Amino acid sequence: QVQLVESGGGLVQAGGSLRLSCAASGRAFSRYAMGWFRQAPGKEREFVAAISWNGGNTYYADSVKDRFTISRDNAKNTVYLQMNSLKPEDTAVYYCAATEILGTRYYASAGWKYWGQGTQVTVSS
C-alpha cells in the first residue's frame, strides 16, 4: 500500500512556474514508477508525465514536453513536477499516481494503482 500526498499547487500568472511535490509513504517507494495526471473542469483525466522507478526513463504528454520536468528523490520518497512557461490551459487539478509496472500504456489512468487527492493549479492570463 502506498499513500500519496501532493503539494505545491496554487495560482500563477501565464508564463510563470510552479513545482509540485508528491510525498509517498508506505512500502518501498523506489519499487514504484510514478506519474502525474491532471483533470480540468468538464474534461477527462489526462496523462502529464511519468518516471521509472530509478529515474532512468521519463515520459511526457506532447502538450507539456519541453515545459515540464518530472524527477524523483528516492531517499526522500518524493516525486516532483517542475512546471515552467505555464499557460491558462494548464489549469487543472494535478494528481500524483504510482504503479509497480510501467507498461507501454503508461498514459492510461487505468494502469495506475495508487492516487493522491490532487492539488489545484490555476494559471491566469
Side-chain angles (χ1 to χ4, degrees), residues 41-65:
K43 295 187 177 182
E44 294 187 353
R45 190 171 296 188
E46 66 174 2
F47 170 75
V48 175
I51 188 167
S52 59
W53 67 275
N54 64 352
N57 292 294
T58 56
Y59 307 90
Y60 296 93
D62 288 343
S63 60
V64 307
K65 202 171 294 182

Side-chain angles (χ1 to χ4, degrees), residues 17-31:
S17 299
L18 281 175
R19 188 176 82 155
L20 305 184
S21 299
C22 173
S25 60
R27 298 174 57 187
F29 173 75
S30 61
R31 292 173 50 189

